[in-house]
Amino acid sequence: MGLRELKKQRTRDLLLRSALELFAERGYEETTVDDIADAADVSQRTFFRYFASKEDAAFFVSRLAESRFVEAVRARPTGEAPLDALRLALVASWSTIGEAVEQLIPMELHLRFYRVIESTPALLAAHLRRATELEEEIARVIAAREGLDVDADPRPRVVVAVFGAVMRVTERIWSARDDAGLAALRDLTATYLDQVAPALTGDWRGPALAEGAGPTPQRSNET
């Protein structure tokens, strides 16, 4: 990388870190583009050379992590079941995602910002919109690897929606734990993904879930 490109990268990374730190400390809505530019000691015009908006800066690192995950899904062996491929792709990409994030900002700051997302309606709405777009991209990857037409066969979108729902539940529970770090997020995600198949196909009226639920209704013998 030449000196000019290196300087541009350093400016972008400084703006990015300044933005996320201000979002975490002051709040997203309370932080302006001018605040970010001042914290990075550059002009507002310089900010817009690198980011189209505050939202663009807010989700820059997330986009990088998501692209790593999509590539990991594409790289999974074709013989794996789709849900297994998604889970194993996530496991395989944890370390590379972490390394990519650390090259831009401290991991601690990245994780703190996830809590800001949960507590900020504008960011949460954007996050959910982006999650829907990501699910569509991944569904098309799954359909292609299975030789299916994603618009004719609903299964790729369904399996990706289930996977996405598990990730969303994990994010919400993890973000409510003040002292939870990356290892806790990883473990919680693995635990929840391991429970997807039993949760969908198991007997919900078994002994483990029956306590306090009252008597199990008798099934009718009518056909």
Side-chain angles (χ1 to χ4, degrees):
M1 185 180 295
L3 290 177
R4 180 180 175 84
E5 289 74 19
L6 183 60
K7 182 178 179 181
K8 289 172 65 176
Q9 180 176 298
R10 286 175 175 170
T11 300
R12 181 205 64 192
D13 294 352
L14 178 58
L15 280 165
L16 180 62
R17 181 167 182 167
S18 298
L20 296 183
E21 286 178 343
L22 287 171
F23 296 156
E25 293 168 4
R26 297 185 184 179
Y28 179 75
E29 300 288 2
E30 292 73 22
T31 300
T32 67
V33 169
D34 284 336
D35 292 333
I36 298 169
D38 289 344
D41 197 24
V42 299
S43 67
Q44 183 191 84
R45 187 173 182 178
T46 298
F47 174 89
F48 285 116
R49 288 176 184 165
Y50 295 92
F51 304 104
S53 62
K54 283 198 308 179
E55 182 181 308
D56 187 32
F59 290 105
F60 183 88
V61 178
S62 296
R63 286 198 302 273
L64 174 64
E66 290 159 3
S67 67
R68 295 295 179 98
F69 174 63
V70 172
E71 290 307 311
V73 174
R74 286 197 176 99
R76 297 308 305 172
T78 56
E80 292 176 346
L83 189 58
D84 290 337
L86 292 171
R87 184 190 183 286
L88 293 172
L90 183 62
V91 171
S93 61
W94 268 114
S95 59
T96 60
I97 289 174
E99 291 169 1
V101 170
E102 288 281 2
Q103 290 178 359
L104 297 174
I105 60 171
M107 179 59 70
E108 180 272 337
L109 177 58
H110 180 55
L111 297 179
R112 265 202 298 156
F113 180 65
Y114 259 99
R115 295 188 172 89
V116 176
I117 292 175
E118 290 291 332
S119 62
T120 307
L123 283 176
L124 183 57
H127 179 56
L128 296 177
R129 183 193 71 240
R130 295 179 63 258
T132 300
E133 295 169 352
L134 178 63
E135 285 182 10
E136 178 64 18
E137 180 181 3
I138 296 173
R140 292 183 177 277
V141 171
I142 292 294
R145 74 193 294 277
E146 298 297 321
L148 302 175
D149 180 351
V150 72
D151 294 318
D153 192 321
R155 288 176 295 174
R157 287 192 175 107
V158 169
V159 74
V160 172
V162 169
F163 181 84
V166 174
M167 298 302 296
R168 177 74 193 114
V169 169
T170 302
E171 285 179 357
R172 188 167 64 245
I173 293 175
W174 172 85
S175 66
R177 300 178 179 178
D178 294 335
D179 59 345
L182 181 61
L185 177 59
R186 182 183 306 169
D187 293 343
L188 189 64
T189 301
T191 298
Y192 277 42
L193 287 175
D194 285 344
Q195 295 179 23
V196 171
L200 295 179
T201 62
D203 182 4
W204 286 22
R205 298 180 179 182
L209 300 179
E211 183 177 353
T216 300
Q218 296 297 315
R219 299 193 180 197
S220 172
N221 292 324
E222 296 179 6
T223 56

